[in-house]
Amino acid sequence: MVRIADDPLHNSISTEALYVPNSDRFLVTNSVFSNELYHSKDSFSCRATRHGNLSDYFYSNDGLNFHFGVILFDAVLVILMTRIIAFLLRPCKQPKVVSEVIGGIILGPSVLSIDKKFNGAFFSENVKYIIGNIGTMGFMYFLFIIGVKMDLSVIKFSRRKHKMITLAGVIIPVVTGTIVGNIIRPSMDKELSKPSSIGRVVLAMAVTGYAVIYPILQELNLLSSEIGQMALAIAIITDGIAIILLIISGALKQTDVGVDAALWYMITVIAFMVFSVITLQQAMIWILGKNPEGKLIEQVYVVLILLGALVMSFLSDMLGLGIVTGCMLTGLVIPDGPPLGSSIVARSETFIMNFFMPFSYVYIGMSVDLFAMTSVSWSGLAPLFTLAMSGMVFKLLATLVTSLLVKIPFRDALTLTLILNLRGQQEFMLIMHWMEKSVIEIPSFTMLVLLVTAVTAIFTPLIRFLYDPTRPYIVNTRRTIQNTPPHEELKVVACVHNRDSVATLINLFEFSCPSRRNLSVYALCLTELNGRAAPLLIDHEKQKMNFNYSGYESTYNALKIYIETKRDVMEIHSFTAVVPKQTMYQDICKLAMIKEADLVILPFHMEWRDSVRMTELHHQRRTPSVLSNVLDHAPCSVGILVHKVHLLGPLFDHSSNSSPRHVLVLFLGGADAREALFYADRILMNPNVFLTVIRFLSHHHHREYEQEKKLDDGVIISFRERNGRNKRVVCREVVMKNGEETLATIQAFGNDVHFDLWILGRHKGINPVLLEGLSSDWCEHLELGVIGDYISSMDFDGTTSILVVQQQTLRG
């Protein structure tokens, strides 16, 4: 049996014919169609029809002779190929979009499918048709998810320089590209030389969409950086301009029919968009009203929203706005973040990005034919290449020059320019659309896909090289406790992420709370970004915003209550950061930099379970944690606060404020130990604190760092002079021969007296004799140092709070 179709991808006319053995004749079974077949001017292709049933699998010699089996095998092949290429290109720091497009090209007629047996077995025309439709749905839902995450309020708060860069980056390349297009127009083919075709290419090169920039910035961990946030704001404004130009270009097409047609088109499109927005917003309000507070949206509503996106795509395509516009519009109307946006993203993003999108890239790769491109003379490709390159070059120059004019440093301006000229999914969709509309042919399509891929493949590593998101936090001045005079205000950035971390922080402040006001706290509530693209850093004294993130309200309310009760003795300001976990450290360092903080305090929560087993919360060993990143990049000193007891009592128990509090300082030497001692010295301003300082020395001063020893001696002598008559202070020295003796001595102190707070330095400058035999290999939490890890572990008796201090590390 043979199927006859006029188009391998969209066979709108088809029939069946029987092949006559030992002849070249086909008998057409549809007599009506056969009469018309030979009078048609269209070309037709014949191909064998495979069985669609797997029930006869074991009776066949070829298991791939069934449509469903081939589709299943292709699904596995497509996903595996794109993942393998992504893995191989990882050392080259290539974004996912580049890897997956290359994977699609490899499966296409340029590499593997050049073999007719491979192509016939795995990628027949019927299979390509299915892959094409799955790939189109992949692009649609990709833009839908991007729309869900997009925050349009960024446009409202965008700065003047954002708008200037946007306008220059769109208008200049459009104007200059149009001029270049008209100059080289005589050398273009008939279809490309049309004004509408030139406009399409020029506009595509002048606009870099949010959907392209956001995934790459996410991979580069630049979402929280200043340049990343500026690029996202500019991209949103650019998308708005692109939609307006899309509507105008659609109206101009209608002028071929008549001015009335163009006018009715504009009215219809605007009415459709307004009606859709109002209807969808009311539907979202209704869904939110049905959903229990603090819970994810029910699955049935998520399914209905996904189906609604398909309906909107159909309607927008029918009106000439493109099939992806409806999906994007639906996503934009959905409120970003919890509960609606995060529910949709949580329940659909993984499947869309890891199943649908590989098919989208293979759909592109199946149409990329390097042999067809090389078979065409350069004169046939040069006009389109010149037009596309002129748009890109003028956009680069316009963006760079404008960025410099608005006083952005050259290195940052160049980075921003490269980001705003990245290419990806949006361009692939447009190029495929042009080919389907016969604006370009396979050779031109192949050239544009390679050009877009090459630009992103080159620019992404350059962005990594040029821009270090931690560079703004490099300071040359000392911001430490040691360098802050006792009578001056100590500025502290205190991070919290749940109600327990608030309680732990309050416990520390109760130690530190003096009778006079010399402590300024910037409390930063950390919330992991979910269901939205743009990170947020909010100053609650200047901005009022409502959040639906799980656990946020109880955390913030607990912090707010404490702020109200302590305004007389300390200055507390509250902030909230909604950021991806990978870049959370950037917002912490940013706030510390802006407020010129002397100390950042981070919670490291532990809790006892069944009174025996201790489990770490919010920590991943194999990937760099928030703690380790802050320790590496903070512009000031850092304190890691560990609380080994889960607080079961009331959050604020002021009855215990006047009770004695015992603090132990383990002074093992070095810069970190000195910083810990200076913090303990400040705690002594609290008349209820009793302080014990234990200095550890090596036997016969073996392997002492001479310079560090002198600095340690000076700090200890100065501390003793200040507190020599203070009966609440005890200073002792112990001599150790190795690490085993060090741990035994620490354990003995823990058994003799119950200390409410232990303070120690992390690791910098410690005499190696004191740690001899204690390998960091057995250290479970390297962020705490060897001694800090031991004290916080289940092997150490006692339940207490521990503050591990690291003095500021000057970088650069």
Side-chain angles (χ1 to χ4, degrees):
M1 184 72 69
V2 172
R3 185 170 302 279
I4 301 175
D6 69 326
D7 184 0
L9 292 180
H10 304 92
N11 40 332
S12 56
I13 305 175
S14 64
T15 189
E16 291 184 348
L18 295 175
Y19 172 67
V20 181
N22 302 320
S23 72
D24 296 326
R25 293 183 296 113
F26 291 88
L27 299 179
V28 180
T29 59
N30 187 326
S31 59
V32 176
F33 182 84
S34 62
N35 290 332
E36 298 175 354
L37 178 62
Y38 301 104
H39 300 287
S40 173
K41 294 182 180 180
D42 297 330
S43 60
F44 293 86
S45 61
C46 302
R47 57 181 182 271
T49 300
R50 302 184 184 205
H51 302 288
N53 193 344
L54 276 174
S55 60
D56 296 328
Y57 175 81
F58 290 103
Y59 300 98
S60 172
N61 293 325
D62 186 5
L64 294 176
N65 196 33
F66 303 92
H67 278 142
F68 188 67
V70 173
I71 291 297
L72 292 179
F73 185 85
D74 283 350
V76 175
L77 185 63
V78 164
I79 295 172
L80 280 180
M81 178 60 74
T82 53
R83 292 295 174 271
I84 290 170
I85 298 300
F87 175 78
L88 293 176
L89 291 181
R90 189 178 297 172
C92 300
K93 307 297 183 183
Q94 290 300 319
K96 192 176 179 181
V97 60
V98 171
S99 304
E100 295 196 330
V101 168
I102 293 174
I105 293 173
I106 290 174
L107 290 175
S110 298
V111 186
L112 294 179
S113 289
I114 193 175
D115 182 70
K116 293 183 178 179
K117 290 184 179 179
F118 178 88
N119 185 62
F122 301 114
F123 295 104
S124 65
E125 298 301 330
N126 285 333
V127 172
K128 287 180 182 178
Y129 174 74
I130 296 172
I131 288 176
N133 282 280
I134 296 175
T136 302
M137 290 185 66
F139 279 131
M140 288 164 54
Y141 276 124
F142 167 77
L143 287 180
F144 168 74
I145 288 294
I146 295 296
V148 171
K149 292 182 176 182
M150 194 181 294
D151 181 13
L152 294 179
S153 64
V154 172
I155 298 176
K156 181 180 178 181
F157 298 106
S158 59
R159 300 178 183 176
R160 181 171 173 268
K161 64 181 177 181
H162 296 165
K163 297 172 183 176
M164 289 180 62
I165 294 171
T166 302
L167 292 174
V170 174
I171 294 174
I172 292 176
V174 166
V175 172
T176 52
T178 303
I179 294 171
V180 171
N182 283 290
I183 292 173
I184 63 175
R185 189 175 178 183
S187 61
M188 296 180 180
D189 59 43
K190 181 180 178 182
E191 199 62 40
L192 184 60
S193 62
K194 292 180 179 179
S196 59
S197 299
I198 294 175
R200 285 174 175 175
V201 176
V202 169
L203 184 60
M205 298 302 110
V207 173
T208 300
Y210 192 94
V212 175
I213 292 176
Y214 166 72
I216 298 178
L217 289 180
Q218 189 178 34
E219 291 182 52
L220 295 174
N221 288 330
L222 294 180
L223 288 178
S224 296
S225 67
E226 184 179 357
I227 291 297
Q229 291 185 343
M230 189 183 301
L232 290 177
I234 293 171
I236 290 179
I237 302 172
T238 304
D239 279 343
I241 296 173
I243 291 173
I244 294 171
L245 293 176
L246 176 66
I247 296 173
I248 293 173
S249 65
L252 291 175
K253 283 184 185 178
Q254 297 298 320
T255 56
D256 296 338
V257 180
V259 178
D260 292 344
L263 182 62
W264 278 110
Y265 173 82
M266 291 287 289
I267 294 172
T268 304
V269 168
I270 293 172
F272 165 72
M273 296 183 74
V274 172
F275 175 78
S276 299
V277 169
I278 294 173
T279 305
L280 289 171
Q281 280 182 339
Q282 293 302 314
M284 299 307 126
I285 292 171
W286 180 80
I287 291 173
L288 289 171
K290 292 283 185 180
N291 189 65
E293 189 174 351
K295 301 290 184 181
L296 288 175
I297 300 297
E298 292 183 17
Q299 186 72 27
V300 62
Y301 297 124
V302 175
V303 173
L304 287 174
I305 291 171
L306 293 174
L307 290 175
L310 294 180
V311 173
M312 289 292 295
S313 295
F314 168 75
L315 294 175
S316 65
D317 190 45
M318 185 176 67
L319 292 172
L321 290 173
I323 198 168
V324 297
T325 305
C327 261
M328 189 77 170
L329 182 62
T330 307
L332 288 172
V333 174
I334 296 171
D336 60 326
L340 198 52
S342 58
S343 297
I344 293 172
V345 170
R347 288 175 169 164
S348 61
E349 184 179 30
T350 300
F351 188 74
I352 290 169
M353 301 305 293
N354 294 289
F355 181 80
F356 274 125
M357 286 307 292
F359 278 97
S360 302
Y361 296 118
V362 171
Y363 177 39
I364 298 294
M366 285 295 166
S367 301
V368 172
D369 192 338
L370 294 174
F371 299 99
M373 185 184 74
T374 53
S375 66
V376 177
S377 63
W378 173 244
S379 60
L381 299 175
L384 180 59
F385 180 81
T386 304
L387 187 61
M389 283 300 298
S390 65
M392 290 185 183
V393 170
F394 282 118
K395 182 174 177 64
L396 276 166
L397 293 174
T399 307
L400 180 60
V401 172
T402 310
S403 299
L404 293 173
L405 289 176
V406 294
K407 308 300 182 184
I408 297 177
F410 177 78
R411 196 180 183 97
D412 290 349
L414 183 57
T415 304
L416 179 63
T417 300
L418 294 178
I419 292 173
L420 293 176
N421 282 273
L422 291 170
R423 308 289 162 176
Q425 297 88 344
Q426 190 166 296
E427 284 72 26
F428 292 136
M429 285 184 282
L430 289 172
I431 296 168
M432 181 61 75
H433 179 69
W434 298 343
M435 190 175 69
E436 290 177 350
K437 295 295 182 181
S438 300
V439 176
I440 57 176
E441 301 296 333
I442 289 291
S444 299
F445 173 85
T446 302
M447 182 193 68
L448 288 178
V449 169
L450 294 179
L451 178 62
V452 166
T453 305
V455 166
T456 303
I458 294 170
F459 284 5
T460 304
L462 285 176
I463 293 167
R464 289 181 187 270
F465 172 76
L466 287 171
Y467 190 72
D468 178 8
T470 66
R471 191 173 67 244
Y473 319 133
I474 299 175
V475 294
N476 297 319
T477 56
R478 281 287 180 185
R479 295 184 180 177
T480 65
I481 306 169
Q482 182 176 351
N483 292 87
T484 305
H487 62 276
E488 289 188 9
E489 197 174 54
L490 183 69
K491 298 178 181 179
V492 178
V493 171
C495 303
V496 297
H497 57 80
N498 57 25
R499 195 171 184 272
D500 286 342
S501 62
V502 175
T504 305
L505 196 63
I506 289 170
N507 189 43
L508 178 66
F509 287 159
E510 290 301 307
F511 283 94
S512 311
C513 188
S515 56
R516 54 196 175 92
R517 210 169 154 160
N518 69 342
L519 186 64
S520 181
V521 177
Y522 302 94
L524 180 61
C525 186
L526 299 170
T527 303
E528 189 170 0
L529 186 69
N530 188 13
R532 60 176 291 133
L536 293 172
L537 181 60
I538 301 151
D539 183 348
H540 288 285
E541 294 178 1
K542 299 178 181 178
Q543 300 167 265
K544 291 185 179 180
M545 299 188 71
N546 295 321
F547 291 99
N548 295 309
Y549 287 89
S550 177
Y552 170 79
E553 189 173 350
S554 61
T555 303
Y556 178 67
N557 286 339
L559 188 62
K560 189 176 180 181
I561 293 170
Y562 184 73
I563 290 173
E564 294 298 327
T565 60
K566 290 295 179 181
R567 287 199 181 275
D568 295 336
V569 291
M570 70 173 71
E571 185 180 349
I572 304 181
H573 310 273
S574 59
F575 296 81
T576 294
V578 183
V579 287
K581 190 173 183 181
Q582 296 89 338
T583 60
M584 202 170 276
Y585 75 95
Q586 294 180 17
D587 286 77
I588 297 171
C589 294
K590 183 190 298 183
L591 184 62
M593 185 76 183
I594 294 171
K595 300 303 178 182
E596 299 182 347
D598 306 302
L599 177 67
V600 170
I601 296 179
L602 298 164
F604 189 96
H605 262 282
M606 317 285 280
E607 68 176 1
W608 290 98
R609 294 185 177 178
D610 301 328
S611 300
V612 176
R613 185 169 56 88
M614 188 165 62
T615 306
E616 183 196 359
L617 302 178
H618 310 290
H619 178 77
Q620 294 181 350
R621 176 76 186 271
R622 295 186 178 181
T623 58
S625 65
V626 177
L627 294 177
S628 60
N629 279 322
V630 173
L631 288 168
D632 291 340
H633 303 294
C636 60
S637 297
V638 179
I640 301 176
L641 183 60
V642 184
H643 197 68
K644 292 173 65 175
V645 186
H646 184 71
L647 295 182
L648 299 176
L651 194 60
F652 310 113
D653 184 10
H654 298 291
S655 62
S656 60
N657 287 356
S658 58
S659 60
R661 295 173 179 270
H662 296 275
V663 178
L664 175 64
V665 175
L666 301 178
F667 191 94
L668 283 82
D672 293 348
R674 294 192 293 272
E675 191 76 354
L677 184 60
F678 275 99
Y679 185 79
D681 199 12
R682 278 184 170 265
I683 289 179
L684 277 175
M685 296 180 186
N686 187 339
N688 299 313
V689 168
F690 290 79
L691 180 64
T692 301
V693 179
I694 309 297
R695 185 184 185 187
F696 291 79
L697 299 170
S698 62
H699 188 62
H700 296 308
H701 302 291
H702 180 53
R703 296 173 66 183
E704 292 279 9
Y705 298 125
E706 196 63 34
Q707 184 64 29
E708 292 291 343
K709 177 77 165 49
K710 290 180 180 178
L711 294 173
D712 291 344
D713 289 342
V715 168
I716 290 291
I717 291 171
S718 175
F719 177 79
R720 283 177 169 171
E721 289 176 352
R722 288 194 305 272
N723 300 284
R725 298 182 180 181
N726 192 337
K727 296 181 179 180
R728 295 183 289 115
V729 178
V730 175
C731 292
R732 294 180 57 183
E733 290 186 353
V734 291
V735 179
M736 303 288 108
K737 294 181 179 179
N738 51 48
E740 186 178 349
E741 288 189 6
T742 302
L743 293 185
T745 303
I746 293 172
Q747 182 69 69
F749 279 108
N751 294 336
D752 292 345
V753 181
H754 172 74
F755 291 99
D756 300 291
L757 176 66
W758 293 54
I759 305 176
L760 68 153
R762 183 170 174 245
H763 64 71
K764 199 187 304 176
I766 298 178
N767 188 328
V769 172
L770 303 178
L771 303 178
E772 190 174 312
L774 306 179
S775 173
S776 60
D777 295 336
W778 59 264
C779 188
E780 189 176 357
H781 308 301
L782 292 174
E783 296 92 342
L784 302 176
V786 175
I787 301 299
D789 179 70
Y790 172 72
I791 297 173
S792 63
S793 70
M794 60 182 295
D795 298 324
F796 185 77
D797 295 336
T799 55
T800 185
S801 293
I802 305 144
L803 181 65
V804 180
V805 180
Q806 173 184 281
Q807 192 175 68
Q808 176 197 14
T809 302
L810 291 177
R811 300 185 297 131

